[in-house]
Amino acid sequence: MSTNLQGKVIAITGASGGMGFETAKMLAARGAKVSMADIQEGPLMAAADKVRQSGGDTMARVVDVRDESSVDAWIEDTVAQFGPLDGGVNLAGVLPKTFGTHSVAETVSSDWDFVLGVNLTGVMYCMRAQLRHMKDEGSIVNASSVAGVQGFENNASYGASKFGVIGLTKCAACDVGPTRSIRVNAIAPGTFRTPMYESVIEARNGEEMPTIQKIKREGQPSEIASLVCWLLCDESKYITGTVQLIDGGWIC
Ligand SMILES: NC(=O)c1ccc[n+]([C@@H]2O[C@H](COP(=O)([O-])OP(=O)(O)OC[C@H]3O[C@@H](n4cnc5c(N)ncnc54)[C@H](O)[C@@H]3O)[C@@H](O)[C@H]2O)c1
């Protein structure tokens, strides 16, 4: 069994962001050919340049995961450049504009559509395209959250999207395990200091989130990268349909 990812072709979304960028870097450092996708062109190209400067083999495409033709074209380009996929990592995600402020009875429909569109439908579009071009024994990792395993107040759209990712992940594992030995798992992060987290702190006028996890610190994006790399490599090849909490013991 191998912990490295030498020569494996991995397609990753959210690749210019906190967790996605750290994961793309680690994948490339372990020998993978990494196809990076994100909606933000400037940050994506800068992120891909940094991966290349460290010796990584990467390509980058601007993709809106809500647009199925954009997703399909990205995966087709990836296969044309690197060959069929060994793995997919679907981390692109957003918070509602009303995060933490609106109860379910006050849900703003446009905000609901935005969050479900990126966080859930976007994961489905990506996974669907990745599976069409994935080798047998491949592996997919999708981003859920602690908000996908536990309810929180004023969090209906984000929570529904992240619970949905877990359902989607488990159903996909049932579909592609028996026939193709492809594995599909979700990660459920707690609090990680990334641009998304910084936007929450900003909305709270600089007030930090309470430290309710048992390990008394926030997670590091590199710790997400380590977990994702493990879920993609042969060391985890009997693990599928699971939700990997990575939350410093927030939920335990
Ligand atoms: N940071 C945390 O504490 C935390 C906790 C639990 C779950 N998560 C989840 O982990 C994942 C990564 O989060 P992060 O903290 O790195 O966030 P981030 O905001 O730093 O990065 C998310 C990336 O997704 C991209 N993106 C947004 N909409 C997109 C779209 N329509 N198409 C393509 N790309 C798009 C953004 O441009 C950004 O680069 C997200 O799914 C998030 O919901 C984060």
Side-chain angles (χ1 to χ4, degrees):
M1 291 208 290
S2 166
T3 54
N4 80 37
L5 294 161
Q6 197 61 44
K8 291 197 189 270
V9 177
I10 313 285
I12 177 168
T13 70
S16 71
M19 295 179 185
F21 175 49
E22 285 300 319
T23 302
K25 271 197 307 190
M26 194 176 285
L27 289 168
R30 294 188 183 190
K33 298 172 195 287
V34 186
S35 179
M36 299 167 67
D38 201 287
I39 198 170
Q40 299 188 75
E41 181 167 13
L44 174 66
M45 296 309 160
D49 280 347
K50 282 188 193 146
V51 172
R52 266 183 223 110
Q53 282 156 16
S54 318
D57 193 356
T58 191
M59 57 179 276
R61 289 289 180 279
V62 177
V63 173
D64 182 345
V65 298
R66 294 168 294 179
D67 173 0
E68 55 188 310
S69 55
S70 153
V71 170
D72 290 348
W74 163 51
I75 296 299
E76 280 156 22
D77 284 358
T78 301
V79 174
Q81 183 154 339
F82 289 149
L85 303 187
D86 297 280
V89 184
N90 300 312
L91 298 181
V94 290
L95 290 172
K97 293 177 179 63
T98 53
F99 183 71
T101 58
H102 285 46
S103 77
V104 69
E106 300 160 328
T107 299
V108 176
S109 302
S110 57
D111 215 17
W112 172 272
D113 291 344
F114 170 62
V115 172
L116 271 288
V118 177
N119 292 3
L120 181 55
T121 308
V123 171
M124 184 276 285
Y125 286 158
C126 291
M127 204 166 45
R128 184 177 66 185
Q130 291 158 355
L131 284 169
R132 285 175 181 159
H133 294 280
M134 188 164 286
K135 296 179 196 162
D136 288 356
E137 300 190 11
S139 174
I140 290 180
V141 181
N142 296 323
S144 181
S145 166
V146 289
V149 294
Q150 180 175 306
F152 293 95
E153 68 178 352
N154 297 335
N155 198 34
S157 59
Y158 189 75
S161 71
K162 295 302 187 181
F163 270 81
V165 166
I166 291 175
L168 181 61
T169 298
K170 287 179 179 286
C171 291
C174 293
D175 286 342
V176 294
T179 48
R180 299 169 64 193
S181 299
I182 292 175
R183 301 180 296 111
V184 190
N185 292 286
I187 58 168
T191 304
F192 284 77
R193 197 168 273 278
T194 64
M196 178 180 280
Y197 179 80
E198 298 298 346
S199 71
V200 172
I201 301 304
E202 204 179 303
R204 292 165 60 91
N205 296 319
E207 190 195 333
E208 292 288 332
M209 302 285 278
T211 318
I212 54 177
Q213 55 272 44
K214 312 304 176 285
I215 307 292
K216 292 289 175 196
R217 63 171 174 83
E218 292 136 8
Q220 301 296 324
S222 61
E223 292 168 317
I224 294 288
S226 297
L227 175 60
V228 172
C229 285
W230 180 72
L231 286 169
L232 291 173
C233 82
D234 290 348
E235 285 213 331
S236 63
K237 71 184 199 186
Y238 201 51
I239 295 178
T240 192
T242 68
V243 182
Q244 302 282 323
L245 279 166
I246 173 162
D247 65 348
W250 180 342
I251 294 174
C252 72

